[in-house]
Amino acid sequence: MPELDPATTALLTVECQNGVVGEESALPELAKEARDSGMLERVAALADAARGAGVQVLHAVAERRPDGRGANTNARLFRAAGKLPVRQLTGSGAVEVAAPIAVAEQDLVVRRLHGLSPMAGTDLDALLRNLGVRTLVVTGVSSNIAIPNTVFDAVNLGYQVVVPSDAIAGVPASCTAEVIRNSLALVATITTAEALINQWATAS
């Protein structure tokens, strides 16, 4: 793995929110995998290590207005989300970043009301460019949909992308390994949370 300059690197957590990976998740199978695999703890540790090294941390949250205005309806996934017992409503606890991941004062939270990727139709790209970021470390859920979308969008926008393989999750668990091997490894640097934490420890 190449050395990551803290001044030009950012860590992004994707949909690590209560309504997705928390105890009261709308997607209990995904939430269980995120917890049982240790992914949430590794993302929390990565965020702490990133801050200690001067790496900007950002949290991407998916949410909906109570009236659903502006949300996609052009896929089965979106229509099903509107019928789930736990909805990712703006201002609710479901869209708060889930423990044990902390949101520090210097972190940035990027919210989206539509789409599958935090890079599309949000301020994320502009924020990263204003911060001088050239390398994006992507963590979170799910390896089925949001993570690949984020990685591909970031690569298309010219960022170098790093994915710690043990800091993303999806269902079934075997899907994550397949997506990494057959898709993400072709466009991103694949590493581990421990390797990143160790690298950032030497930079702090």
Side-chain angles (χ1 to χ4, degrees), residues 176-193:
T176 301
E178 291 299 323
V179 168
I180 290 171
R181 181 183 307 111
N182 296 308
S183 296
L184 302 186
L186 303 178
V187 296
T189 298
I190 307 301
T191 185
T192 64

Side-chain angles (χ1 to χ4, degrees), residues 1 46 191-200:
M1 184 179 66
L46 278 165
T191 185
T192 64
E194 182 180 19
L196 280 171
I197 290 168
N198 289 340
Q199 183 175 141
W200 286 336

Side-chain angles (χ1 to χ4, degrees), residues 32-195:
K32 185 176 188 301
E33 175 61 24
R35 291 193 305 270
D36 291 354
S37 67
M39 185 217 79
L40 286 177
E41 287 74 15
R42 284 188 284 273
V43 173
L46 278 165
D48 288 342
R51 295 185 198 101
V55 172
Q56 178 67 53
V57 176
L58 302 97
H59 307 277
V61 174
E63 57 184 50
R64 293 171 62 95
R65 287 169 49 111
D67 60 8
R69 191 175 297 273
N72 289 70
T73 58
N74 59 332
R76 184 161 60 96
L77 173 67
F78 300 126
R79 294 190 292 273
K83 299 175 183 178
L84 291 171
V86 178
R87 299 175 65 199
Q88 317 300 323
L89 297 182
T90 300
S92 72
V95 299
E96 294 178 359
V97 175
I101 303 166
V103 179
E105 184 178 359
Q106 67 268 34
D107 294 0
L108 295 171
V109 179
V110 179
R111 303 182 182 278
R112 79 174 195 274
L113 289 171
H114 64 87
L116 298 170
S117 165
M119 297 294 294
T122 72
D123 293 332
L124 181 55
D125 180 41
L127 292 173
L128 293 173
R129 293 186 189 282
N130 288 345
L131 291 163
V133 171
R134 297 185 58 80
T135 301
L136 187 63
V137 179
V138 177
T139 68
V141 294
S142 72
S143 59
N144 308 77
I145 297 174
I147 295 299
N149 269 272
T150 305
V151 171
F152 296 145
D153 283 351
V155 170
N156 284 333
L157 289 168
Y159 294 96
Q160 297 291 325
V161 179
V162 176
V163 178
S165 60
D166 52 355
I168 63 172
V171 287
S174 59
C175 174
T176 301
E178 291 299 323
V179 168
I180 290 171
R181 181 183 307 111
N182 296 308
S183 296
L184 302 186
L186 303 178
V187 296
T189 298
I190 307 301
T191 185
T192 64
E194 182 180 19

